[in-house]
Amino acid sequence: HSITAWILGLVKARVTWHTSLLGPLFVVSAVVSGLALVIVSAIVARVLIGLSVKRQTIVDLGKLLAFTIPVLGYFLFAELLTVTFGNAPAEMHVFREMIWGHFAPAFWANLILGLVVPLLLLISPARKTLTGVGIASALVVLGVFLERSNIVILPQLHRLLFPFYPHGSYTPTLVELSIAGGIYALGAVV
């Protein structure tokens, strides 16, 4: 994940990518989403195929997830603080688009459904149930996906380098969705 982050972080021409925080942010989000995906997989395997995963093991993984979510929140906050404190016009344009514009639903869903709600579930009495831990973990996976979408897609749509072109928008095509679905299906089959 560091290599992927460095590939993006060393691209100076893309707004919000050229930052030293991208590597640690990608590593932390990979740890958080990986742990959450392991929890979801363990619960699904336990329910669907009767894999003998102890309930306490899943609950303990949920406790660990509760400790890692604030670390991810810290890195997201640090990244946004760095962007807004610099107050560069291009970065602020992307920031405003992410907070209030076309990509705001993904940002706020990541923040609320991907960080706050899972953390609240994992510190509430629901942390002792497989359902509570499973829902929190699934929301974390969704949140990290939305976070990465905002990190990767939104800066590519910014018209900093080509101001004479209209502002871009992106909606995945059926072919792109089919390819992504096929990759996940292949992973599920394996």
Side-chain angles (χ1 to χ4, degrees), residues 73-167:
Y74 168 76
F75 274 99
L76 289 172
F77 172 76
E79 179 65 27
L80 293 176
L81 178 68
T82 304
V83 166
T84 56
F85 187 76
N87 204 23
E91 281 85 1
M92 289 306 295
H93 176 76
V94 171
F95 176 76
R96 283 190 295 276
E97 185 72 22
M98 184 173 62
I99 300 293
W100 297 293
H102 181 69
F103 284 81
F107 173 78
W108 291 108
N110 166 40
L111 192 64
I112 295 167
L113 295 176
L115 292 175
V116 175
V117 171
L119 186 59
L120 291 176
L121 280 171
L122 293 172
I123 62 172
S124 74
R127 74 180 181 274
K128 297 179 181 178
T129 66
L130 292 183
T131 304
V133 173
I135 290 171
S137 300
L139 288 173
V140 166
V141 172
L142 174 67
V144 170
F145 176 78
L146 294 172
E147 167 210 330
R148 294 286 176 92
S149 297
N150 270 341
I151 288 173
V152 174
I153 295 173
L154 182 56
Q156 294 187 61
L157 301 178
H158 187 264
R159 56 189 172 149
L160 176 67
L161 298 177
F162 304 106
F164 46 87
Y165 288 126
H167 184 66

Side-chain angles (χ1 to χ4, degrees), residues 3-19:
I3 302 300
T4 305
W6 292 334
I7 290 170
L8 298 178
L10 295 174
V11 177
K12 197 171 190 178
R14 285 286 172 213
V15 177
T16 71
W17 280 4
H18 189 63
T19 173

